[in-house]
Amino acid sequence: MIRLKKRGFALSALLLSSVLLLSACGGGGSGNSSNSSNSGKSGNTASSSSNSSAGSSNASQETKVDHSKEVKIVGYLLGDQPKGMPEVLDQLNDKLKKDINATLELNYIGWGDVASKYPLVLASGEDVDFVFAADWNFYVAEATKNAFLPLDENMFKTYMPKYYAKQNAAAYKAAEVNGKQYMIPTTTPDRKVNLFVLRKDVMDKAGLKEVTKFSELEPYFAEIKKDYPDMIPLNLDSQYDLPTPFDYLVNEKFAYSSAPMDSGDPMSVGVYTDWEDPAGKVLSITEEPVQSAFKYAAGIMKDWYDKGYVNKNPYSNKTRSKDNFADGKSGVAFGNSIDIQATLAAATAKGIDTYVFPQLSPSGHAIANSWLNNGVAIAAGSKNPERTMEALDLIMEDESYVHLDYYGIEGKNYEFTSDGKLTLPQGVTTDTNTYPPDAAGFWFVDKDYLKPSADWTANYLELYNKTKDYLVPATFSEFAFNSDKVKGQEANLKNVASQYFLPLTVGSVKDVDAAFDTLVSKMNAAGISKVKTELEAQASEYLKSKAK
Amino acid sequence: MSTKMESRHAAAAVKRRRLSSPSKGVLCELRRHWLLYAMFVPVAVYYMIFSYIPMAGIVMAFKEFNIRDGIFGSPWVGFDNFDYFFQSGKAWLVTRNTIVYNVIFLAAYTIFSIAAAVFLSEITQKWFKKVTQTFMFLPYFISWVTVSAFVYNFLNYEYGIVSRILGYFHLSAIDIYSNTGYWYFLLPFLYVWKWVGYGSVLYLAAIVGIDQEVYEAATIDGATRFQKITKITLPLIKPTMVILILLGLGRIMRGEFDMFYQLIGNNGTLMDATDIIDTLAFRSLMGTADFGMASSVGFYQSVLTLIIILLANWIVRRYDKDQALF
């Protein structure tokens, strides 16, 4: 028995070691192959442009791109797939097949998984042709990691003629990272402004006629606390709402863009700027006006938190206030003028009168969205970048395609009224619509083809019409910080923020001044000064190139 | 002394026997027990694909990873990727938290599993035994995401069931999500709740394997139930216990990321008490998605795990050679 055991052990050891050897071979092999492909590729980066220009000269000779071979294009978008997607995709594919002999396969990365799955999809590099891209969604980080295919003007001319005809030259420039363009930015940056929604009935009871700033909401909250036991005045979620009331309060003091300049992450800390300051001075958290504005906002939040106006644990709450609002669980809904439409519709359906108010800087402005706010990028490993671009040209810039991918199927998901407004077909409600507008992740399409909705309230319509007057471009609107040299510091700042900054924004700290001091000392330890130096260098570079 | 001599004799005998039949090498062994080895093949393949081949990826911890050059082609950066972790000022805190929590988990899990297994083995009503076992096993199938939703709905300050019940008795609600104290108890409790069913099956198998004659003899000698448990059952499942603990130590540096992340999330108030290596790294790197830096933490954990396993095994070897893993 012992012998057998020992023998068995020796043999399994042998097996294991051979496995090890094999794995070493495997590793070496893949190393080799990647090396060889690498040696080919160092030339490839340069040749890809020459390649494409060759392709374009080819195409211009034939004036027609070759579509003889059918291809399947795989794309990744963000959010959840709407229920009606399969039918819409069928129709989309019928059209694509006829026009460019291609079919589309769409995958969705859920909101909760974006940060982990998005880089993974790109890193695996298999079976992905295009992905949603935006400056707020790792665009610069992934571009510096070579996750995207570099694009040039010739490719746009050849494969995306409609897009090329429409797009502003500034957009191409804005999308450059280290001198190369990796993104196809939308031709119509969103005209949207952040806003909050209140209930008219509660406002009346609280004696609130008009709101001019967020800090005036105290009586509104007190009224909810008094007469609506099941409603939390500020029922914040862990992703979007958490720092939002704080942002509104800070914005009463200076034009704060809701996120530090370096990471662009609203849940992080870093260095700041007054986005309306034409000189573009970079500010640390202890400089004015940042410090006093943050302390002012944190003080009010603490007061509200202590009075029970804020839910005690927003970190574990996954339902956004705008989704709780119509159910009477949140007194305020936070969103922007585009994504709030569903909330307003749901509230109207339940007979709740609403009041919307935009987030504005002290001078009454909001940041105009940059070109990079919504876009799409071609994955570096795409096998059919040409056909993918052609498909995207149709999806983004052809009116019939835009209506299909953005609104769904006519007569089933939407209809146009005789005066050209968007409405739901007979018998379909917002609850039963399987393909709600804007929900399918096609945020980069040409929004000039979209129509106003028939059920907008007067209050919303007023805001909608005023939006374009609010919007002004920020000093640093197209600036994207390249954090390559300060990655470690950025990681630590993010970590400091979750422990010492978020409690300040929620108001759950014991003492605002002490908590703020702790935050500052932790930020110093995390290396904020190095981030600031690096950012200042890049910022002045940006301002110089902009002045040209 | 004499036992030592004996074992030395036995070892020598084995050696001699092996030397005397050198012609019957690996091939002969393979032919004789081919079925056993055939059964081993899937396991070997599994570990080769999922454990040994990916090991080569550990080089990523020392590289500035970019997608075009791939894992092996990206440039080397030495120990740069490790900087952020040790500069975070929390390296020691999270390492300590990771080890302390996992030691508590492992201890609680072992004790409760054995207790549950012993109780189950003493139950004679078959249907009751099965029902109990099933209910104990069920939490194993519930993911931490779901558990966190349960817990949130039980414990949250405003709408939680606990708060509602307290309110019913006119007691003030307790704010569990901003007090670290509750979590020192809650986390091990939830861990045990989730894993005890699984653990008790392992120990129950060991108990069922004990020769019934031993118990019969003890009964004849007039042993009480309690004596049978402490003098027979527990000593006889000790080998199983040692192996399971040693295997459990292998997970000690990376215990239950899901649990901490889902239950605590980004809750800054609880963080000093509940931050483990995995959650720190995850939180820091979510925004940058830097694979090199993430691997550096994995590397750090692996090295610590290796040290802990070697140490534990060495200790076991010193006391009882037969029960050591290697």
Side-chain angles (χ1 to χ4, degrees):
Chain A
M1 189 60 200
I2 288 175
R3 192 180 64 121
L4 199 144
K5 217 174 167 184
K6 288 263 171 179
R7 274 274 181 91
F9 181 75
L11 199 93
S12 58
L14 195 125
L15 255 172
L16 282 182
S17 56
S18 69
V19 160
L20 256 176
L21 250 173
L22 267 178
S23 74
C25 299
S30 64
N32 272 343
S33 64
S34 79
N35 264 343
S36 60
S37 66
N38 183 29
S39 55
K41 274 205 181 131
S42 50
N44 214 356
T45 33
S47 73
S48 78
S49 54
S50 62
N51 223 347
S52 64
S53 56
S56 68
S57 60
N58 236 346
S60 55
Q61 277 167 14
E62 299 164 17
T63 63
K64 187 91 178 137
V65 190
D66 178 25
H67 289 158
S68 57
K69 193 169 146 265
E70 186 184 345
V71 298
K72 193 176 85 178
I73 297 163
V74 182
Y76 278 82
L77 299 175
L78 307 189
D80 297 313
Q81 171 168 324
K83 268 197 219 94
M85 193 72 218
E87 285 158 336
V88 174
L89 197 62
D90 279 347
Q91 290 212 5
L92 206 55
N93 279 335
D94 287 345
K95 285 164 79 79
L96 281 172
K97 183 101 179 61
K98 209 166 73 213
D99 289 340
I100 56 168
N101 199 20
T103 52
L104 192 62
E105 183 191 311
L106 281 177
N107 300 295
Y108 282 84
I109 304 175
W111 281 119
D113 305 325
V114 173
S116 49
K117 217 172 156 190
Y118 185 80
L120 216 58
V121 164
L122 288 167
S124 77
E126 271 163 29
D127 249 11
V128 49
D129 292 299
F130 71 87
V131 287
F132 177 82
D135 53 0
W136 48 268
N137 197 52
F138 315 110
Y139 171 59
V140 178
E142 290 300 328
T144 44
K145 273 199 277 180
N146 296 332
F148 306 129
L149 191 75
L151 308 167
D152 61 32
E153 207 177 331
N154 274 325
M155 295 165 87
F156 284 109
K157 254 188 218 161
T158 319
Y159 303 114
M160 300 187 75
K162 285 184 184 150
Y163 175 88
Y164 187 72
K166 168 119 194 198
Q167 185 58 296
N168 188 322
Y172 300 111
K173 187 93 188 69
E176 279 183 8
V177 176
N178 296 335
K180 283 210 189 85
Q181 182 187 353
Y182 296 93
M183 191 205 283
I184 306 171
T186 174
T187 51
T188 49
D190 280 344
R191 279 206 206 109
K192 68 176 179 227
V193 46
N194 289 336
L195 51 77
F196 60 85
V197 188
L198 304 177
R199 297 169 64 114
K200 260 276 175 46
D201 52 340
V202 182
M203 282 175 73
D204 290 342
K205 273 197 187 173
L208 211 60
K209 287 267 160 302
E210 286 287 317
V211 178
T212 56
K213 52 187 188 195
F214 196 73
S215 53
E216 287 170 3
L217 294 182
E218 169 93 38
Y220 178 83
F221 296 152
E223 171 59 31
I224 293 177
K225 201 71 191 158
K226 189 159 67 93
D227 289 337
Y228 297 81
D230 280 337
M231 197 189 295
I232 303 174
L234 292 167
N235 195 351
L236 312 176
D237 86 323
S238 60
Q239 295 283 331
Y240 179 88
D241 300 333
L242 202 131
T244 305
F246 182 83
D247 289 349
Y248 277 90
L249 293 167
V250 172
N251 255 297
E252 292 177 8
K253 296 291 174 190
F254 79 103
Y256 169 53
S257 65
S258 305
M261 275 181 93
D262 47 331
S263 58
D265 177 356
M267 311 275 267
S268 191
V269 283
V271 291
Y272 303 89
T273 185
D274 181 329
W275 65 261
E276 285 189 276
D277 173 16
K281 187 169 183 322
V282 178
L283 304 162
S284 76
I285 198 166
T286 48
E287 281 174 276
E288 291 303 331
V290 183
Q291 171 162 313
S292 60
F294 274 29
K295 281 191 177 177
Y296 163 79
I300 295 182
M301 285 311 293
K302 176 175 165 47
D303 183 40
W304 287 352
Y305 184 88
D306 290 346
K307 285 179 178 158
Y309 297 167
V310 186
N311 54 331
K312 291 276 185 234
N313 184 28
Y315 312 104
S316 300
N317 180 19
K318 298 194 165 59
T319 316
R320 272 182 67 170
S321 59
K322 76 182 180 76
D323 300 322
N324 260 335
F325 180 78
D327 294 335
K329 282 190 172 169
S330 182
V332 180
F334 294 105
N336 65 52
S337 52
I338 292 180
D339 73 2
I340 206 73
Q341 290 175 30
T343 307
L344 295 177
T348 312
K350 294 219 165 107
I352 303 168
D353 259 355
T354 52
Y355 178 89
V356 291
F357 191 79
Q359 177 179 40
L360 299 175
S361 70
S363 62
H365 293 124
I367 299 183
N369 281 292
S370 82
W371 294 105
L372 309 186
N373 201 261
N374 280 312
V376 57
I378 312 286
S382 168
K383 289 180 199 75
N384 302 296
E386 301 85 9
R387 204 76 66 88
T388 307
M389 287 179 83
E390 287 178 277
L392 286 171
D393 197 30
L394 293 169
I395 289 170
M396 292 167 76
E397 299 297 334
D398 183 293
E399 184 165 11
S400 65
Y401 277 91
V402 171
H403 286 167
L404 181 60
D405 55 42
Y406 200 84
Y407 290 141
I409 296 164
E410 187 162 14
K412 186 165 182 295
N413 304 111
Y414 75 97
E415 263 174 16
F416 292 128
T417 57
S418 49
D419 55 346
K421 279 183 177 169
L422 181 74
T423 188
L424 286 168
Q426 201 81 46
V428 181
T429 65
T430 42
D431 283 341
T432 58
N433 187 5
T434 53
Y435 201 92
D438 195 56
F442 286 101
W443 305 306
F444 43 82
V445 300
D446 189 335
K447 289 182 176 160
D448 288 345
Y449 292 124
L450 303 185
K451 303 277 193 280
S453 172
D455 59 2
W456 285 353
T457 59
N459 181 242
Y460 178 81
L461 203 63
E462 190 193 328
L463 178 85
Y464 181 83
N465 290 330
K466 263 200 265 176
T467 301
K468 66 175 183 304
D469 303 331
Y470 293 137
L471 299 178
V472 290
T475 311
F476 287 106
S477 63
E478 256 86 50
F479 174 70
F481 180 52
N482 185 344
S483 65
D484 240 19
K485 288 193 190 126
V486 289
K487 273 192 303 195
Q489 283 78 6
E490 283 295 322
N492 283 332
L493 282 172
K494 172 86 181 135
N495 184 40
V496 165
S498 10
Q499 189 164 359
Y500 302 101
F501 175 64
L502 296 185
L504 268 173
T505 69
V506 175
S508 64
V509 293
K510 288 206 177 63
D511 178 87
V512 170
D513 286 321
F516 191 82
D517 291 344
T518 319
L519 171 67
V520 171
S521 74
K522 294 287 177 189
M523 282 171 71
N524 288 333
I528 184 73
S529 61
K530 201 173 166 206
V531 175
K532 194 177 177 209
T533 318
E534 174 67 22
L535 190 130
E536 274 170 339
Q538 290 187 24
S540 71
E541 198 67 25
Y542 169 82
L543 290 177
K544 245 185 264 162
S545 76
K546 199 174 148 189
K548 264 182 222 161
Chain B
M1 191 61 195
S2 66
T3 53
K4 223 176 199 175
M5 287 277 280
E6 262 170 41
S7 67
R8 206 173 283 169
H9 276 301
V14 169
K15 222 181 205 172
R16 228 175 298 134
R17 228 177 297 168
R18 220 185 251 176
L19 284 174
S20 66
S21 55
S23 56
K24 299 183 174 178
V26 175
L27 276 180
C28 176
E29 167 71 25
L30 263 181
R31 193 172 331 138
R32 184 141 36 119
H33 299 292
W34 68 271
L35 196 64
L36 287 176
Y37 288 111
M39 283 156 77
F40 173 68
V41 164
V43 181
V45 169
Y46 176 89
Y47 277 99
M48 192 167 91
I49 293 174
F50 291 106
S51 295
Y52 283 90
I53 293 178
M55 245 185 235
I58 212 157
V59 295
M60 208 131 114
F62 304 95
K63 293 204 161 204
E64 168 85 57
F65 176 71
N66 77 71
I67 290 165
R68 199 175 299 138
D69 296 335
I71 295 176
F72 297 96
S74 297
W76 296 96
V77 292
F79 279 89
D80 282 5
N81 285 331
F82 291 80
D83 285 353
Y84 90 95
F85 182 66
F86 293 102
Q87 281 167 6
S88 69
K90 292 186 77 182
W92 161 239
L93 179 93
V94 291
T95 308
R96 190 195 63 198
N97 275 351
T98 311
I99 294 176
V100 168
Y101 269 112
N102 281 303
V103 166
I104 295 173
F105 289 166
L106 188 60
Y109 163 77
T110 308
I111 292 167
F112 281 97
S113 299
I114 291 174
V118 169
F119 290 151
L120 282 172
S121 70
E122 296 292 327
I123 294 172
T124 43
Q125 278 276 5
K126 204 170 178 193
W127 64 268
F128 184 69
K129 189 172 170 174
K130 290 288 162 210
V131 168
T132 315
Q133 218 177 338
T134 309
F135 273 100
M136 275 169 55
F137 210 97
L138 273 181
Y140 174 78
F141 295 107
I142 306 174
S143 87
W144 283 115
V145 184
T146 321
V147 175
S148 87
F150 285 169
V151 171
Y152 181 68
N153 283 314
F154 264 101
L155 302 180
N156 88 68
Y157 183 81
E158 290 88 3
Y159 300 121
I161 294 175
V162 173
S163 290
R164 292 254 158 122
I165 293 174
L166 288 172
Y168 184 76
F169 292 110
H170 301 288
L171 297 167
S172 56
I174 39 175
D175 187 6
I176 290 172
Y177 278 98
S178 40
N179 280 305
T180 49
Y182 297 108
W183 294 92
Y184 289 121
F185 166 75
L186 266 173
L187 291 170
F189 171 79
L190 288 167
Y191 184 90
V192 167
W193 170 77
K194 190 158 156 64
W195 288 102
V196 76
Y198 184 80
S200 65
V201 168
L202 299 176
Y203 288 108
L204 197 59
I207 293 174
V208 170
I210 298 171
D211 195 344
Q212 283 304 311
E213 283 177 25
V214 186
Y215 288 102
E216 279 161 25
T219 315
I220 291 167
D221 288 345
T224 64
R225 225 167 216 224
F226 185 69
Q227 279 173 325
K228 274 191 248 173
I229 291 171
T230 51
K231 301 274 163 64
I232 300 173
T233 314
L234 291 183
L236 282 174
I237 60 170
K238 207 177 94 189
T240 314
M241 204 171 95
V242 172
I243 286 180
L244 287 178
I245 288 177
L246 281 175
L247 290 175
L249 284 174
R251 290 196 305 266
I252 210 159
M253 293 312 298
R254 44 185 97 223
E256 300 296 314
F257 165 76
D258 288 17
M259 171 178 177
F260 285 93
Y261 184 68
Q262 295 298 341
L263 289 173
I264 312 289
N266 258 341
N267 192 334
T269 332
L270 300 180
M271 225 159 251
D272 271 336
T274 58
D275 218 7
I276 58 170
I277 297 176
D278 298 272
T279 48
L280 174 80
F282 185 77
R283 229 179 25 248
S284 309
L285 301 177
M286 275 301 263
T288 45
D290 191 284
F291 296 144
M293 277 150 78
S295 323
S296 74
V297 175
F299 185 78
Y300 170 72
Q301 287 175 312
S302 303
V303 170
L304 284 184
T305 307
L306 184 69
I307 293 171
I308 288 173
I309 292 186
L310 287 177
L311 204 71
N313 196 60
W314 177 76
I315 293 170
V316 172
R317 259 179 97 86
R318 281 203 56 167
Y319 288 99
D320 193 348
K321 220 172 178 178
D322 287 341
Q323 294 189 357
L325 278 181
F326 46 85

